[in-house]
Amino acid sequence: MTVEDTNRSPVGAGSAAIRRAVRGAAIGNTVEWFDFAVYGFLATYIADKFFPSGDETAALLNTFAVFAAAFFMRPLGGFFFGPLGDRIGRQRVLALVILLMSASTLAIGLVPSYDSIGVAAPLLLLLLRCLQGFSAGGEYGSGACFLAEYASDRHRGFVVSFLVWSVVVGFLLGSVTVTGLEAALPGGAMDAYGWRIPFLIAGALGAVGLYIRLRLADTPEFEALRERGEVSSSPLKEAVTTAWRPILQLIGLVVVHNVGFYIVYTFLPSYFTKTLGFSKIDSFVSITVASLVGIVLIPPLGALSDRIGRKPLLIAGSVGFAVFAYPLFLVLTTGSLPAAVAAHAALAALESVFVSASLAAGAELFATRVRSSGYSIGYNVSVAVFGGTAPYVATWLVSRTGDDLAPAYYVIAAAVVTLATVLTMRETARRPLRKLPSG
């Protein structure tokens, strides 16, 4: 057996333990991203309540700017929680981040409006969104590493795909909650107080997610590392010095992952109403269909990546966005609701092809000692620059150019960057996770 083989020897976990790990990570992640998603679905209400009245487009841009600000906090969260996960374990970090996310989301629902406290309202909103972003910076890296380290080599793509699957579920629940309130509350109630309810619900859901995560055991990979006394004392420094190439690869890998995701699930619902002129109910129908497409496709595509490899799906998703983003946005702007819903669903399908394999591929780039650090740094730097800014950039492009197809160009550029990155990566499917850094 070679040194490389030794470094990649799998640490087994029983099927029951894997199922518990998937349930814990997925349920907790659903709660976390419900919290994060309701902000996007309530963007028009937030624009009205937290910013001065007058220019509706400017207020919406300010709302998306605050949305993006949370993403600029994610690298800080990644730099903090990633190394923390490599020192104290993935499970403890997962419990900590859901507590922080739920508390900050609950607080958003309690902040008075601009009419009541003036400029303090948007400043408090910004602060709480930054806390959300800081928390989210620890969620994906810890969650991806947690599931990757529990999964068997043969089924890692399928197991890890439930992390992004649960994000789509969280977004769908957020959409259903907001739309259900809009339909159930009497006229004017949603604008007066109803928009606060989803943020308050997040507090209760967060308590449930925290309870679930506190009952989880840490991963066999990390426990074995701790038993051998090989836990890194300086995981951040070690990750930057020994895993800088995988970090750069992950940054490029998830560019279209994030741009595509936030265009499909955050930008397009407001695009349907503000740019295309459809009703809020039409927008709800479309985002529901798109979410269901993701929920149906992601797990089987994750399993497919275990059979044929990660790279075929990553390449197919990147090329698909590069080739079809413009035609699909053309269909979106035809004025036909069925055609627009179909185009939205097709964009969600392209996103599903890519994200079904990207999280597992990212986790497989790193050794156990620095996996949480490396993943959290790379992923959150990329999402800060490209993901959280996507709704703002897309809205700004439409407003600035007057071209309703402008967001497609942004998606295409992201797809090209990611495709170039994927071509530099080796295939990692069905290979044991590395235990030690190669540097």
Side-chain angles (χ1 to χ4, degrees):
M1 180 179 291
T2 66
V3 172
E4 183 74 355
D5 292 332
T6 303
N7 287 347
R8 292 180 175 179
S9 299
V11 179
S15 58
I18 293 173
R19 286 194 295 271
R20 284 195 299 272
V22 170
R23 284 196 300 268
I27 293 173
N29 204 46
T30 296
V31 173
E32 178 119 353
W33 289 93
F34 170 88
D35 297 356
F36 212 69
V38 291
Y39 183 96
F41 292 121
L42 292 167
T44 55
Y45 296 100
I46 293 170
D48 179 60
K49 295 299 178 183
F50 286 91
F51 298 97
S53 59
D55 189 334
E56 187 176 333
T57 299
L60 187 60
L61 280 171
N62 285 333
T63 303
F64 280 137
V66 174
F67 181 86
F71 283 81
F72 287 109
M73 289 296 296
R74 289 185 62 163
L76 296 180
F79 276 92
F80 177 79
F81 288 113
L84 189 64
D86 282 328
R87 288 200 303 270
I88 69 172
R90 288 64 162 123
Q91 178 268 340
R92 292 181 182 179
V93 169
L94 285 173
L96 181 59
V97 294
I98 196 171
L99 176 63
L100 181 58
M101 171 67 83
S102 298
S104 55
T105 306
L106 173 66
I108 289 176
L110 300 175
V111 174
S113 67
Y114 182 90
D115 291 340
S116 299
I117 60 173
V119 71
L123 290 177
L124 285 171
L125 176 66
L126 177 62
L127 172 63
L128 293 170
R129 281 291 298 164
C130 286
L131 288 176
Q132 282 188 319
F134 187 73
S135 166
E139 174 65 32
Y140 241 39
S142 299
C145 295
F146 185 79
L147 291 182
E149 291 176 1
Y150 257 109
S152 68
D153 300 334
R154 295 179 57 190
H155 303 295
R156 189 174 298 115
F158 176 66
V159 170
V160 177
S161 73
F162 279 97
L163 189 71
V164 71
W165 175 88
S166 66
V167 174
V168 180
V169 172
F171 269 81
L172 178 59
L173 290 177
S175 175
V176 169
T177 300
V178 171
T179 305
L181 287 170
E182 289 176 332
L185 293 177
M190 190 68 185
D191 186 64
Y193 65 86
W195 66 271
R196 297 182 182 274
I197 295 175
F199 293 107
L200 303 180
I201 291 173
L205 293 179
V208 174
L210 177 62
Y211 173 77
I212 291 170
R213 287 188 167 179
L214 286 173
R215 293 171 61 85
L216 295 174
D218 219 320
T219 70
E221 289 275 344
F222 183 78
E223 292 291 357
L225 195 74
R226 182 155 49 194
E227 289 176 7
R228 294 196 302 267
E230 295 177 356
V231 173
S232 176
S233 59
S234 302
L236 177 59
K237 179 181 178 181
E238 187 172 335
V240 171
T241 56
T242 68
W244 58 268
R245 188 173 187 272
I247 289 173
L248 291 177
Q249 286 178 317
L250 183 60
I251 290 172
L253 172 67
V254 297
V255 169
V256 83
H257 174 123
N258 287 302
V259 169
F261 193 92
Y262 288 100
I263 289 292
V264 170
Y265 294 105
T266 300
F267 169 73
L268 283 182
S270 64
Y271 183 78
F272 261 67
T273 57
K274 294 296 181 182
T275 302
L276 303 182
F278 294 118
S279 69
K280 288 184 178 180
I281 295 299
D282 295 334
S283 175
F284 169 72
V285 169
S286 190
I287 190 61
T288 299
V289 171
S291 299
L292 290 173
V293 167
I295 289 169
V296 169
L297 290 182
I298 288 171
L301 287 170
L304 181 63
S305 78
D306 289 319
R307 293 174 60 88
I308 68 174
R310 317 286 185 237
K311 291 186 69 173
L313 290 176
L314 298 175
I315 291 171
S318 301
V319 171
F321 270 124
V323 172
F324 294 110
Y326 184 82
L328 289 173
F329 266 84
L330 274 176
V331 175
L332 279 169
T333 58
T334 59
S336 165
L337 178 61
V341 172
H344 195 176
L347 287 167
L350 290 174
E351 179 69 4
S352 299
V353 171
F354 188 87
V355 301
S356 63
S358 58
L359 294 188
E364 290 163 344
L365 291 172
F366 300 97
T368 303
R369 278 171 63 94
V370 297
R371 184 167 294 119
S372 181
S373 300
Y375 196 104
S376 295
I377 294 167
Y379 184 89
N380 287 298
V381 166
S382 188
V383 76
V385 177
F386 301 103
T389 58
Y392 181 89
V393 170
T395 302
W396 181 85
L397 285 172
V398 172
S399 176
R400 182 79 172 181
T401 66
D403 184 359
D404 293 346
L405 302 176
Y409 309 139
Y410 188 47
V411 175
I412 292 169
V416 171
V417 171
T418 291
L419 178 61
T421 303
V422 172
L423 295 178
T424 71
M425 296 168 57
R426 68 186 180 95
E427 181 58 66
T428 54
R430 300 179 301 278
R431 296 186 180 188
L433 294 170
R434 289 193 302 119
K435 304 294 186 298
L436 300 174
S438 58

